[in-house]
Amino acid sequence: MSAAEERLQEALAGFDFGAPVAGALRYGKGHINDTFCVHTQPEEGPCRRFILQRMSAAAFKHPDELMENILGVTEFLGRRIAQDGGDRSREALTVLRPRNGEAFFTDSEGGAWRVYPFVEHTICYQSAESAELFAASGRAFGRFQQLLGGYPAETLHETIPNFHNTEDRLVKFRAALEADALGRAKDCGPEIQFVLDRAADCSVALEAMRAGKLPLRVTHNDTKLNNVLMDETTREGVCIIDLDTVMPGLVIYDFGDSIRFGANHSAEDERDLSKVNLDVDLFAAYTGAFLEGAGGALTNPEIEYLPWGAKLMTLECGMRFLTDYLEGDHYFHTQREGQNLDRCRTQFKLVSDMEAHWEELEKIAKQYQT
Ligand code: ADP
Ligand code: GN1
Ligand code: MG
């Protein structure tokens, strides 16, 4: 048995799944955590599934603080959903504590593991198959924003410091470029120049925040389409997942990250850049639905800055992929060489498209200002 398999077996033994475990298979397309789907085999009744995750040690330095956030947020969401007459076990994640009663299980090498019951009868999409589906995801993320409106932000730990601080991401990019530890900078001259040409953009949202135009709220911060589970029948959003980065942030980050990932028809690591194009109709569909889901929570300046949220999240994500490429792919999971550089290129293609369609994007957002 490999060391990784041994740690997995330790983690499985650390939880009571209510029935014997029939197997645990790698699951999902997340870039950060190691995710497994656990199948149980009860003597009677149907098999139940669980999501078992080893939290990324590269991303999260304090799993105790991370899980404190998640326990607080899932409990809060569960209560709000139940008050609204919803099904909290389906519409919010539930943490299954390990046998020792703590918030997560620690294996013999210090790996931190957690378990959620699998939210059944849902689909996790990797791309928006239709404007309706993308709009449904927008409604769900907007509602999430509204539900967390009253959450005590001061109790949240910053699980990744400066997560969407684009100025700080630029500083980190410059440091990686300066170090050029693997001699890879020579392969990405145009991408490096793309960032340097947009250094001033990195301050736009932060300047607006410092000027008091954009308020800090409790935000999700990782609103890709594959972080919301959709009902397999109605195709409406059921449950927002991947709560690792719920922290104070700007609402335009949540809007923007969804656009970055979902408002186009190609994979994030597509190599043929002619296939990577911003779909303005998807942008428009998401905008209306997100604002509807948020139920009037956004102020006029927040609505005005939505296109900036899209551009900045895309630029920042491209910069993060490029930084990881320059540093040797330590942060994002990769399945092939050069994948982080390919991902960076798709992001920059989308940024260029957003710049080309800027007036249209501003016009769409403006319609919703009161
Ligand atoms: P990562 O941070 O690596 O993206 P996620 O928490 O997003 O990890 O989980 C990875 C994938 O696992 C998701 O995209 C989704 O497909 C699946 N998943 C996670 N939690 C659940 C759950 N409770 N029920 C069903 N599927 C889930
Ligand atoms: C990661 O965890 P996942 O795969 O949902 C990353 C996001 C990036 C995204 C790019 C904690 O999201 O910030 O935007 O990859 N999550 C973290 O696809 O860094
Ligand atoms: Mg995820």
Side-chain angles (χ1 to χ4, degrees), residues 125-277:
Y125 287 92
Q126 303 303 328
S127 70
E129 291 177 357
S130 66
E132 289 73 29
L133 181 80
F134 195 43
S137 77
R139 261 192 303 281
F141 280 121
R143 175 164 181 248
F144 184 84
Q145 171 61 230
Q146 194 193 24
L147 284 175
L148 281 185
Y151 195 82
E154 67 287 354
T155 62
L156 284 169
H157 301 283
E158 209 178 348
T159 54
I160 302 180
N162 291 317
F163 189 58
H164 283 317
N165 180 331
T166 316
E167 290 173 346
D168 185 64
R169 293 289 183 185
L170 178 64
V171 169
K172 288 181 174 135
F173 162 73
R174 287 190 199 272
L177 179 59
E178 177 77 15
D180 193 17
L182 288 93
R184 288 179 168 181
K186 63 177 181 337
D187 309 329
C188 30
E191 290 74 23
I192 292 167
Q193 195 55 48
F194 191 93
V195 175
L196 299 178
D197 288 346
R198 288 161 183 77
D201 288 349
C202 296
S203 297
V204 169
L206 293 166
E207 290 284 355
M209 184 182 79
R210 291 190 283 257
K213 275 180 131 180
L214 301 177
L216 271 182
R217 296 177 182 271
V218 175
T219 46
H220 183 282
N221 296 307
D222 189 1
T223 52
K224 333 195 243 198
L225 186 62
N226 64 14
N227 285 332
V228 52
L229 303 176
M230 315 297 290
D231 187 279
E232 67 183 12
T233 312
T234 65
R235 302 291 198 267
E236 279 296 325
V238 174
C239 183
I240 302 293
I241 60 169
D242 205 343
L243 305 176
D244 295 330
T245 51
V246 173
M247 287 183 282
L250 302 180
V251 73
I252 65 168
Y253 297 157
D254 278 5
F255 172 83
D257 198 52
S258 293
I259 298 298
R260 172 192 80 72
F261 187 81
N264 72 88
H265 300 280
S266 59
E268 199 181 45
D269 60 353
E270 173 61 58
R271 284 166 157 165
D272 179 353
L273 292 180
S274 71
K275 293 186 183 156
V276 182
N277 300 300

